[in-house]
Amino acid sequence: RDTFTKDEKKDPLLDYDDSAFYYFAATVVLVVAAPLTYSVFKTLFGKRDPVIVKTSHADVIRTCKCSICINKEHRIVKEETSVKRRFGWGFVLRVVLAACFWLSFYLLIQNISGDTAQIRSFDPFFILGIETDASDADIRKAYRKLSLQYHPDKNINDPTAAAKFVLVSKAYQSLTDDVARKNYEKYGNPDGPQAMKVAIGLPRFLLDEENHILILCVFFAFLLIVLPGIALLWYQQSKKFAENGVLLETMQFLFKFLTENTRVKHLPEIFAATAEYRRFVPRPTDNEDMKPLVMELRDVLSKIKFNHPHVVRNNILIHAHLNRMKLSPPLSQDLSAMLKDLPKLVETSIDLCVYNRHMQTIVSAIDFSQMMVQALNASDSSLLQIPHFTEYNIKHCKTGKFAVANLKDFVKAEHRKGLAKLTDEELQDVDAFCAHVPDMNIEYNVAVEDEDEIVEGDVCTVTVKMERLNLRENEEAGPVHAPFFPHLKREIWWVLLGDATGQKLITLAKVKNQGRVVEEKLMFQAPPAGQYQFELFVKCDSYLGLDQRFTVKLNVLSQSQVKREIVIHPEDQALDNEPSMFQQLMNGMNEQDSSDEEEEIDVPRSKNKHNKAHVHGANCNHDHQDADSGSDMEEEIQELEREAEDVEVLPMD
């Protein structure tokens, strides 16, 4: 049968439903256009506040109420809601896409409303375009008009003309033929009951011969060029980054240059040479802006290790930030972008040092994070973190009665010094700062779970309980008080356990929970029997002067010194006595094999009985034969004896 005839090509057109395609396409477009439009209106009219994510189950996030932090929050909100930030290229792209989607949705709705005849139930009056009380003459007139209009011979280039012509013929038949009219009135179709028909929700132009080449070209271009190109671009971009969002080039660089001898003084230049910071290209105006910085930082530049211009520029910006030097707006913008990447670079450095167990390098990385967040050098006093404090105020704090040396002592002091020349507003800022700074109470315990003693080889658990005394119930600490850090920063506490010398890391934990009470557990294997001392560090990555250090003593016993009774629960004992899954499987296979062998043995037993009877009969016959042969043998012997008697014996000489 020839399947490539003209009629065979037209028949499949009835399986494509334009209306279904329009409904499906309109739904998809609406699903995309609605949230996109919502994001556009939210950008235009929505209120933008800094997003502070909760890290605990607390109901209230307690922020610093000093005027400096309030102004910083307002500045961040203003930057987020600025015209440049809100109406950038991303917003323009969303507006254009939303407009395109809504235009497509409108056109699809127009096609649906203009093509409702395809989804109506069969109505001959509507098809012929006549009233329900039309006469026979009106019916014939309408039929002649539409049959001439949709006749396939007059509409060779219209693939839908044949289907419309058939529909008009059926409508005329249902109104003029008695049988067809009864079928229409009873079943809604002049041909009688119809089987369910399934159509493809695709437009008919896909099967138009004139569009075949274009459709194939578009399909293969999208499948072989567009999709692979997008995947290739995504892969080329994503393979540069690790899972934590840091460039692999940076991780390799840090792994090489972060050694056990790396200290805080080396980290500014190392961080300045990372790939994230090298992306900032110097501007022509930077030379004039950086001249005063270079003059102030001569001592730093005399000890540089990397002479690359970008690295030197970034190193100067970092030291200028640590010295709280004023920068030009372009340099401030670059420094702000550098500080935004600081937390993930510090965490990456710590993760790399954990691999080599460089304890002091980890401590230096955390100290460097404190310095960058608070814009202070290692030699500066932690009291400079207090609002409106200068060297003059610090000098008064460290002398005389009730003197304090660090921030922790100042916050807990009942009689605070250095406040004599501050105004009432400045004193309120100091009080708000002291109420916000974490007053951390640390408790720790070392033990082996479910045991009273620690024996060599046991898994020891160091339980560290951290309680913020400055918070109430159902409160958690908000962003850090950091006037010189342009972004909102949340605290991260690091719990480190090292050996007695503090040089070798044993284990560590990262605490992001900002709740009032936090409990963290560190596990390590007990060393051989003996007396040991470990150093426990609890360090904050955002404040100077709040770190705490403890000496953990551990008495490890040998296995011969402790006799531990192993108590087995009856239920565990019953489980041990039960066969395992593998044993049950093997037992089932053995039982099946033994039953098969028994069947094989039972079958030949009857055969063996029959064979035994046959053998017994054969033996009887054999006995009779043996008896006959025995009598013949006796006769032969007697005959030989007679012959021997007849033989004459000759005498010997």
Side-chain angles (χ1 to χ4, degrees), residues 16-20 22 115-121 164 204:
Y16 282 75
D17 192 348
D18 288 335
S19 298
Y22 294 147
D115 200 29
T116 54
Q118 296 188 21
I119 60 176
R120 289 174 179 267
S121 59
K164 294 179 180 178
R204 296 177 182 270

Side-chain angles (χ1 to χ4, degrees), residues 635-648:
E635 293 179 356
E636 292 179 359
I637 292 174
Q638 291 177 0
E639 184 176 359
L640 290 174
E641 289 178 350
R642 286 194 296 270
E643 291 178 354
E645 291 178 354
D646 295 338
V647 175
E648 180 179 1

Side-chain angles (χ1 to χ4, degrees), residues 21 70 119 129 150 179 183 319 326 332 363 484 514 565 632:
F21 169 74
I70 293 175
I119 60 176
Y150 295 117
V179 177
N183 288 333
H319 280 91
K326 189 175 181 180
S332 298
V363 173
F484 296 91
Q514 308 294 309
E565 182 181 358
D632 296 339

